[in-house]
Amino acid sequence: MSNTQATTVRPRRAVLQMPEYHPPLAGRDGLRLDFNENTLAPSPKIAEVLQRISTAGLTKYPEREPVERIVAAHFGLNADQVLLTNGVDEAIHLLCEAFLEPEDEALIAVPTFFMYEVYVAATGARTQGVQADASLQFPLAGILAAIHERTRLIAIASPNNPTGAVIRREDILAIARAAPQAVLLVDEAYYHFHGETMLQDIAAVPNLIVARTFSKAYGLANLRIGMLAGNPEVLRYVRKVGSPYNVNGIALECLQVALADEEYVRWYSEQVRAGREQMEKGLAALGVPYWPSHANFVLMNIGAKHKELVAAMRKRNVLVRDRSSDPGCDGCVRITIGIHEHVEQGLAALKASLEEIGWQAK
Ligand code: PMP
């Protein structure tokens, strides 16, 4: 029985008005090709780390800085150019907290990762979305035209989620030059499946911040660990608004070992690249339209039967993600690419499901 009393407290206006994000997490049993996770496991060396962790260590507050030095060295950076965060989600949140006033604007290409909009809205600032055309390529001209003096954050995911599209280095540099008053966040969560990075440009471009996650290729989504790399002055402001203990000690221990096992990440990324080609070929053979992807997922256009397809896949124990409510993605479903065996399973379930729902190529 609930005895909850009605409350008279009210959140800030921005919180009342912001959109809520409820990822469809409940009952994710089966082959999970719905969240762009690693479909197998992290490096086998992580198991050894977990075995040596003692409960005595749990009494200690985590120390982020020594690990930041190791991570920075791994990427050929200085420690003050790196901030470890509780996933890229927290990194986005902290950037918004540090840089956006309620009268400011954040600029994003649409469709893209939903959390940019959520964290921008929490500050009271406005998100200006520039819609991609039917090719779902990055709308460069539209973004450049939308920049004005109140633009204080530009968030670009490359490769982008859910489209799999990428933006060229020259274009990123042009945006950085066109908006020196804005933090330009280049979210490289899916870097390993594409292989191009802006990390080498952070020293020369003072408003460029690169985000990396350890949730995807490294397979550590449950540990919640990501990073920002960029200008030390920009990162100092971000550090100010964050908790000094934002990343737990188990994640910090595992991260060092995960980074050192380069062989594993290379192998996993290779599995994804080969699997993506196999999936794209399979979709082409089935006559399903899709957008060529540079990430560990492929977005396909099923049309009116998108919901039926997701349900038919679930019956076969394969989870995929309905993205049809994303702007410009009506009828679209996204499927994660994992190791070879899982791509085969996904493709087989897809063939059977399309048949079951009576889907026909146009
Ligand atoms: N950026 C993009 C583009 C993503 O798609 C995701 C995860 N879906 C994230 C960031 C979040 O990553 P993390 O797990 O590090 O919070």
Side-chain angles (χ1 to χ4, degrees), residues 87-89 92 113 116 157 161 187 189-190 213 215-216 224-225:
V88 171
D89 277 353
I92 300 163
F113 184 46
Y116 305 135
N161 175 15
D187 182 345
Y190 301 101
T213 184
S215 299
K216 309 293 180 185
R224 310 306 303 126
I225 187 153

Side-chain angles (χ1 to χ4, degrees), residues 190-214:
Y190 301 101
Y191 157 76
H192 290 88
F193 315 115
H194 175 50
E196 282 176 29
T197 179
M198 295 301 291
L199 274 183
Q200 75 282 350
D201 292 291
I202 58 172
V205 185
N207 56 339
L208 173 66
I209 295 283
V210 172
R212 287 282 183 89
T213 184
F214 301 96

